[in-house]
Amino acid sequence: MWYHPFHMKITKIGHCCMLLEEGGVRLLTDPGIYAEGAVEGRTGITGIVITHDHADHYHLASLRAVLEKNPDATVVTNGTVGALLDAAGIPYVRVGDGESATIDDLEIKGFGTEHALVYGDLGKTENTGYLIAGKFYFPGDAFEVPGVPVDILALPVAGPWMKIAEAIDFAKAIAPRVAFGVHDAMVEPGSRGFAGMLIEQFVPGVQYVTLADGEARDF
């Protein structure tokens, strides 16, 4: 099993917005509306990875604010978000299902094509999960199993498109070394440890970490 030879520092900014730091590369994920006000002013960003076009993952004003301070940052996303970026005049690198790109020697691979169902056609869009540096996997709003080893899993734990049993089964299928909860802005902070308790009970081989908004940890 091969991983990029550095420890990864992860700061959970909020919901699905994270700052990943490894080997001098700094990647920001899903700057959505819940991250508004928390991403502005950040510098040293190498790349921005966006899983899909829903507002809690893609917020144009926040993205522009990040790019204003980091004009050389590479935006990586799928074709659906890419069409929005084309309209906004923002360049990007397309990485959809089965595609990959490299930012400063850090590989980003795409997995999956569809957002999990909410109800009927509600919320249907292209969703791409991303494996970063051969170790960190963030599925966006879907439970797409990549079929490759995953060391660190950003695990969705709440939302209108999922139930906690699906998160538990997903953690079982992925079997990472460590997981932490994301997509949890709708969960009262004091209750976010509940998902971890269930993961520890039903997937004992996975170390679960509850990260507070703004908290950073080395993995």
Side-chain angles (χ1 to χ4, degrees):
M1 188 181 301
W2 182 88
Y3 298 125
H4 202 272
F6 298 101
H7 292 292
M8 181 176 283
K9 180 180 180 180
I10 299 175
T11 303
K12 183 182 176 186
I13 296 172
H15 197 55
C16 287
C17 186
M18 295 164 273
L19 178 63
L20 316 177
E21 301 177 73
E22 179 161 335
V25 181
R26 290 163 53 89
L27 300 181
L28 190 71
T29 69
D30 282 8
I33 54 173
Y34 292 120
E36 187 177 11
V39 294
E40 289 81 353
R42 292 180 182 265
T43 58
I45 304 297
T46 314
I48 303 161
V49 179
I50 303 172
T51 61
H52 64 288
D53 61 354
H54 289 171
D56 56 330
H57 298 259
Y58 166 75
H59 182 239
L60 182 58
S62 293
L63 177 60
R64 286 194 186 279
V66 174
L67 290 173
E68 183 178 352
K69 295 291 185 180
N70 303 271
D72 295 326
T74 300
V75 180
V76 173
T77 190
N78 58 38
T80 299
V81 176
L84 299 175
L85 296 178
D86 282 337
I90 297 174
Y92 69 98
V93 174
R94 173 176 169 161
V95 176
D97 181 46
E99 299 175 335
S100 64
T102 301
I103 297 180
D104 288 359
D105 199 36
L106 219 62
E107 187 177 43
I108 302 170
K109 290 185 176 181
F111 294 89
T113 60
E114 296 182 356
H115 189 286
L117 292 177
V118 178
Y119 188 80
D121 289 337
L122 180 64
K124 287 186 70 175
T125 192
E126 182 181 14
N127 178 90
T128 308
Y130 290 107
L131 180 71
I132 297 172
K135 67 167 75 174
F136 170 84
Y137 185 53
F138 172 39
D141 285 9
F143 290 122
E144 180 75 24
V145 177
V148 297
V150 171
D151 187 48
I152 308 164
L153 174 63
L155 178 66
V157 295
W161 54 271
M162 62 159 290
K163 58 184 180 181
I164 195 65
E166 294 173 309
I168 294 169
D169 286 341
F170 187 61
K172 286 182 178 180
I174 299 289
R177 173 180 60 89
V178 60
F180 62 92
V182 294
H183 208 278
D184 55 2
M186 64 287 296
V187 180
E188 195 277 324
S191 300
R192 292 180 184 174
F194 177 70
M197 180 186 69
L198 293 177
I199 296 297
E200 290 173 353
Q201 179 178 351
F202 295 110
V203 199
V206 175
Q207 177 191 357
Y208 188 89
V209 176
T210 300
L211 290 180
D213 292 349
E215 182 178 356
R217 187 171 296 207
D218 290 320
F219 290 90

